[in-house]
Amino acid sequence: MKPEVELKELLLQKRLKLSTAESCTGGLVAARIVNVPGSSEYFMGSVVAYDNSIKMKVLNVSPETLLKFGAVSEETAKEMVLGVKKLMNTECAISTTGIAGPGGETPEKPVGLTYIGISVGDRVEVFKFIFEDKDPDEVARRNNRRRKAAKKALKLLVQMLKEEK
């Protein structure tokens, strides 16, 4: 079963609302959610905060966090997920921030580095991944990384919802 279909069942069963804050995935998480008929019953919306100014103004990510840790960091992913939850008044949220490539990497932050924030109720977890891709085309590699991150984010939320009593 696709994670977005399983997510629908869990959110409806638990009567929870969901929101997303996306950077590197550029709306792919939200798109997968709304591909499922009936998603309007539990999905409130998404903020695609690609630029840091939007992360700060809309999602309330602190300028100090961005300066000290960068946009692609555990700290930013956490502030993004909490910010969108508050903004949209939801019990559950997903955030994604990463380096899709082909550029943008540093020695400490390689292409494919992605942080996914997941929050259910008062619980907040941030997961770190490096999504590899070997496609010869750089645009395909970029988009494959973005798709992998979106799918993983949904799977992580499903897993966390199953752990909740």
Side-chain angles (χ1 to χ4, degrees), residues 42-156:
Y42 54 88
F43 185 58
M44 298 304 291
S46 181
V47 173
V48 177
Y50 213 64
D51 189 78
N52 285 348
S53 67
I54 303 304
K55 289 177 181 80
M56 290 184 287
K57 291 177 194 171
V58 179
L59 297 173
N60 207 27
V61 174
S62 119
E64 292 78 20
T65 297
L66 291 167
L67 190 62
K68 185 173 181 181
F69 302 104
V72 179
S73 65
E74 177 180 348
E75 294 80 5
T76 296
K78 182 176 183 178
E79 290 184 24
M80 286 174 66
V81 80
L82 292 172
V84 79
K85 246 177 105 173
K86 184 176 181 182
L87 178 70
M88 299 203 190
N89 193 29
T90 60
E91 299 87 4
C92 303
I94 293 170
S95 70
T96 61
T97 185
I99 303 169
E105 78 275 12
T106 67
E108 301 81 30
K109 295 182 180 184
V111 168
L113 175 65
T114 305
Y115 291 92
I116 299 172
I118 305 288
S119 182
V120 175
D122 293 333
R123 185 175 169 198
V124 181
E125 301 281 342
V126 178
F127 303 87
K128 177 184 175 181
F129 300 95
I130 297 178
F131 294 107
E132 302 281 342
D133 199 87
K134 302 295 184 204
D135 195 290
D137 179 73
E138 71 181 30
V139 174
R141 283 194 305 274
R142 173 184 177 80
N143 289 320
N144 289 339
R145 287 185 199 101
R146 293 174 59 235
R147 280 192 288 273
K148 288 175 185 178
K151 184 175 183 179
K152 180 55 95 172
L154 293 167
K155 285 182 170 184
L156 289 167

Side-chain angles (χ1 to χ4, degrees), residues 11-12 14-18 41-42 91-92 120 161:
L11 291 170
L12 289 176
K14 295 173 180 280
R15 298 181 185 184
L16 300 173
K17 301 288 186 195
L18 171 64
E41 293 180 52
Y42 54 88
E91 299 87 4
C92 303
V120 175
L161 284 167

Side-chain angles (χ1 to χ4, degrees), residues 12-30:
L12 289 176
Q13 174 192 333
K14 295 173 180 280
R15 298 181 185 184
L16 300 173
K17 301 288 186 195
L18 171 64
S19 58
T20 64
E22 302 183 61
S23 187
C24 64
T25 50
L28 289 177
V29 177

